[in-house]
Amino acid sequence: MERPVILSAREQEYLLRVIEAALQVRDLNQFFLWTQGQFQALLPHEFMLCLQFGAHDELAHIECVHGAPLHAAALRLWCDRRHGLALRLAQACRAGASLPAMLPAIERAGGAPLRAFLPELAALGYEHIVVHGTERLAGSASFFILAGLPHKPGTRQAYFFDLLLPYLHLALLRVAAQQGGASLWPAPAGGSAGSAAPIQARALSVREREILHWVREGKSNDDIGQILGISGLTVKNHLQRVYRTLGVNNRTQAVTHAPLGVPERRGAART
């Protein structure tokens, strides 16, 4: 017989606060802040893949939410809309109706559908993952992957995921609606919805990467301008180009999805 999960007073408080905060999530920035807050106390992870499926079970929307920057190649591997690891994991687990699932597997949440992906996940350094998803609901269904857990997942993580799944699902629907159905991983221009999406239309310039470095450090446009010897308005204009390049809407999304690091100038002229 399965032992019940008994929540501590602190876990009960975290759970209530996470649920209350979920009701305020309307856009991707709010979703990011929500999942990086006390949500992490219940379900700690490095990044979350969020997939929304349409009325005909097609992939309609995909987001990768991560607090620390990921390499572009890793993002592409996970988020490719045709053959990405996230999509393949979702298809395998949803077909077997075995959710939640995790690696390493436990009795409460089996990992049978995930075992075929063990070599691929191990090669990426993600041997501890938890996945969950809704049923095939009328008009929409969703699937979530938590990767990079700091320790082996267990019964508590499965239980928390069960409790928070409805709030994740509704929050993702609101994010997708706010973005007009377009994720940060849309199909390429002229391509189909099943095509692989590019990480960005062009590489960020040296100046743009410098500015993003200081944005990560919490500097304002005027602060960055003083550091780099340019005006705050010029910094703002650079950031607007960065947003268009990365397909994001604000500073938080930009630093989340941009490559990490400060480039070497090597005598490049300032612009």
Side-chain angles (χ1 to χ4, degrees):
M1 181 178 179
E2 184 180 322
R3 296 177 60 184
V5 175
I6 307 298
L7 302 185
S8 68
R10 178 170 294 182
E11 287 173 330
Q12 292 177 41
E13 180 182 358
Y14 285 162
L15 183 61
L16 178 60
R17 290 184 178 180
V18 170
I19 290 173
E20 287 178 337
L23 304 179
Q24 307 303 317
V25 174
R26 289 294 184 276
D27 58 38
L28 187 58
N29 182 47
Q30 293 171 342
F31 190 94
F32 168 79
L33 295 174
W34 175 52
T35 57
Q36 296 305 305
Q38 289 178 323
F39 189 102
Q40 287 276 354
L42 300 175
L43 289 169
H45 59 278
E46 289 185 15
F47 66 92
M48 176 191 300
L49 280 301
C50 311
L51 295 84
Q52 179 192 2
F53 293 90
H56 303 290
D57 220 26
E58 76 282 5
L59 179 60
H61 191 91
I62 180 169
E63 299 289 357
C64 180
V65 182
H66 48 103
L70 297 175
H71 291 298
L75 283 169
R76 192 185 302 278
L77 189 151
W78 280 100
C79 297
D80 185 291
R81 293 177 66 96
R82 181 180 296 170
H83 302 297
L85 181 55
L87 177 61
R88 289 183 283 118
L89 282 169
Q91 290 171 335
C93 292
R94 296 174 78 225
S98 178
L99 293 170
M102 61 179 59
L103 288 175
I106 62 170
E107 183 177 352
R108 165 68 178 83
L114 301 177
R115 291 194 184 105
F117 299 92
L118 265 174
E120 195 170 357
L121 290 166
L124 291 170
Y126 295 109
E127 297 181 357
H128 296 167
I129 69 169
V130 185
V131 304
H132 208 346
T134 66
E135 303 169 80
R136 286 173 168 81
L137 305 171
S140 182
S142 57
F143 188 85
F144 302 91
I145 302 168
L146 301 184
L149 280 69
H151 49 69
K152 291 182 180 180
T155 302
R156 301 185 84 77
Q157 284 69 43
Y159 182 64
F160 290 142
F161 220 161
D162 270 339
L163 293 177
L164 294 175
L165 180 63
Y167 301 96
L168 282 163
H169 173 67
L170 291 174
L172 182 62
L173 291 184
R174 291 195 293 266
V175 168
Q178 190 271 344
Q179 294 181 187
S183 73
L184 295 180
W185 301 92
S192 66
S195 301
I199 296 300
Q200 54 194 54
R202 63 172 176 85
L204 296 180
S205 70
V206 171
R207 172 62 83 207
E208 290 166 345
R209 290 166 60 199
E210 284 180 327
I211 289 172
L212 280 177
H213 165 74
W214 291 114
V215 170
R216 281 194 188 93
E217 297 297 316
K219 302 296 184 182
S220 68
N221 288 356
D222 288 339
D223 292 337
I224 298 170
Q226 290 181 4
I227 293 169
L228 299 180
I230 57 180
S231 71
L233 179 59
T234 299
V235 172
K236 180 179 178 180
N237 290 337
H238 277 299
L239 283 173
Q240 291 299 322
R241 287 196 292 271
V242 168
Y243 299 162
R244 291 193 295 271
T245 297
L246 297 177
V248 300
N249 300 313
N250 54 51
R251 300 163 77 93
T252 300
Q253 294 174 15
V255 298
T256 300
H257 291 83
L260 184 64
V262 183
E264 296 181 8
R265 299 285 302 165
R266 295 187 181 178
R270 291 185 173 183
T271 58

